[in-house]
Amino acid sequence: MSLPGNGTGGPVRIGLCLAALSPLGLTGAVTAAAGAGVEVVDLPADRCFGLVDAERLADPEHHREVMAALRESGVEVGCVSNSRDTQLVLGPHGPHTDPVLAGSPADKRAYGQRAALGTVALAAGLGAPLARLMLGVPDLGRWLSWWGSEVSWQDNVSEWVDAAAPALALARETGVRVVVEPHPKQVVYDPASARALLAAAADVGLCLDVANLAAVGHDPVDAVRGWGARLAAVHAKDLQVWRQPGDPRGAGWSRYGPGPPIRFRALGCGELPWVGTVAALLDEDYRGVIYVEHEDALLPTEQGIGTSVAALRALLPAGAPQGRTW
């Protein structure tokens, strides 16, 4: 049986995360996506992007307004996402998240929960099968072992399950599947933590960003294997890692924790083995959407998106393979 977001056995589709196009507004963003040859998008519901009205995420009238823009462009929403606003569900609740909402931890948690519920409601209203929720992480100190203490990362997993319960209940009622994405600011940050959370939350799927995993030292080809029907979506971007002494020059460099500086690039402009990664996805019978996520600071947005879409299109079968015919 096909779960929401897994595809139905047809070809893998190329999608686009719209965050990079948010300066164009919703109509401009979906028009640009269609112009890039993309038919399915990840629509961010975060207030900061301004593509939807964050105060009206659960409003059916707003759903109709968004659907009108989508129909005009011929683009459909495969996933509604939220990473900035929903981060406040689990935090951190200090000055790190004050640009999203300045207030007490209770105020921030309530704000995050409203955003999570609204994101699921918007996905349901638009007919999107997936809602990608990034709920934050309560205690990064649990990465480490502490002498004499039984504290572990599993405590973060348990807190995530409790905090996500309202959004998961709404998702079940509305036929939407909640998915999580590995990221160092989340409870799910690597394959092991992903397996732990998926074991604790049977309804949840995985949105796999192999560049995020490679940025913290995991093999991107191995990372896509073994998820089965729990793999609901894939993000595609490339990665450069700075291995020289001193700080790197140029735009886009950041750090994912204590490791070396990294920056994300358009597909084919970094060092990730996307030929092998796409082949592994096909071998695993993945038939969902691979969403281009443009975060390249060196290329103009339109060029970076076009480069990544073309690279994926060259790697994905355009029809049924005939195999060897001689």
Side-chain angles (χ1 to χ4, degrees):
M1 185 173 111
S2 177
L3 293 172
N6 283 69
T8 57
V12 175
R13 303 173 71 189
I14 299 174
L16 178 65
C17 296
L18 288 185
L21 294 172
S22 61
L24 302 179
L26 178 60
T27 299
V30 294
T31 300
V38 169
E39 298 177 350
V40 58
V41 297
D42 177 306
L43 175 64
D46 314 69
R47 183 187 304 274
C48 64
F49 293 122
L51 290 172
V52 296
D53 188 340
E55 297 296 333
R56 301 172 61 207
L57 296 181
D59 182 354
E61 179 60 32
H62 187 44
H63 301 169
R64 288 189 284 271
E65 294 166 359
V66 175
M67 284 296 295
L70 296 169
R71 281 193 298 270
E72 186 72 21
S73 68
V75 168
E76 67 181 272
V77 176
C79 180
V80 177
S81 60
N82 203 310
S83 56
R84 306 293 202 282
D85 297 334
T86 54
Q87 178 85 27
L88 273 62
V89 172
L90 290 173
H93 294 128
H96 323 67
T97 52
D98 279 352
V100 178
L101 180 77
S104 68
D107 291 338
K108 293 188 176 192
R109 280 191 289 268
Y111 176 91
Q113 285 286 7
R114 287 194 299 272
L117 291 169
T119 300
V120 173
L122 178 60
L126 299 180
L130 304 178
R132 177 166 56 89
L133 301 181
M134 303 181 78
L135 303 184
V137 59
D139 186 356
L140 286 171
R142 291 168 176 162
W143 264 342
L144 307 170
S145 59
W146 300 91
W147 182 84
S149 173
E150 295 182 358
V151 167
S152 74
W153 198 260
Q154 189 63 38
D155 299 321
N156 280 338
V157 171
S158 297
E159 289 193 44
W160 189 98
V161 171
D162 290 342
L168 293 176
L170 180 60
R172 284 191 292 271
E173 292 171 13
T174 55
V176 173
R177 190 182 191 190
V178 169
V179 299
V180 294
E181 175 189 349
H183 191 282
K185 294 179 182 177
Q186 303 301 313
V187 170
V188 170
Y189 69 91
D190 70 351
S193 56
R195 286 191 290 270
L197 191 144
L198 295 181
D203 295 344
V204 174
L206 183 66
C207 174
L208 197 58
D209 188 321
V210 298
N212 283 349
L213 294 175
V216 294
H218 294 276
D219 182 274
V221 178
D222 288 342
V224 305
R225 295 189 173 119
W227 300 107
R230 304 303 290 272
L231 182 57
V234 175
H235 282 184
K237 55 180 181 271
D238 220 322
L239 176 74
Q240 285 183 288
V241 180
W242 181 258
R243 297 182 176 89
Q244 305 302 315
D247 293 329
R249 295 184 60 185
W253 293 100
S254 63
R255 289 181 185 271
Y256 269 15
I262 60 156
R263 68 176 170 189
F264 296 118
R265 300 297 314 278
L267 264 63
C269 297
E271 58 190 64
L272 296 187
W274 272 101
V275 172
T277 301
V278 170
L281 285 167
L282 295 173
D283 289 342
E284 292 287 310
D285 293 323
Y286 177 71
R287 296 297 183 267
V289 181
I290 301 179
Y291 291 93
V292 167
E293 188 173 31
H294 175 76
E295 297 184 14
D296 193 315
L298 298 185
L299 296 180
T301 300
E302 183 177 346
Q303 180 185 355
I305 290 172
T307 298
S308 294
V309 169
L312 278 180
R313 205 176 300 284
L315 297 175
L316 290 169
Q322 286 79 40
R324 183 166 179 166
T325 57
W326 64 93

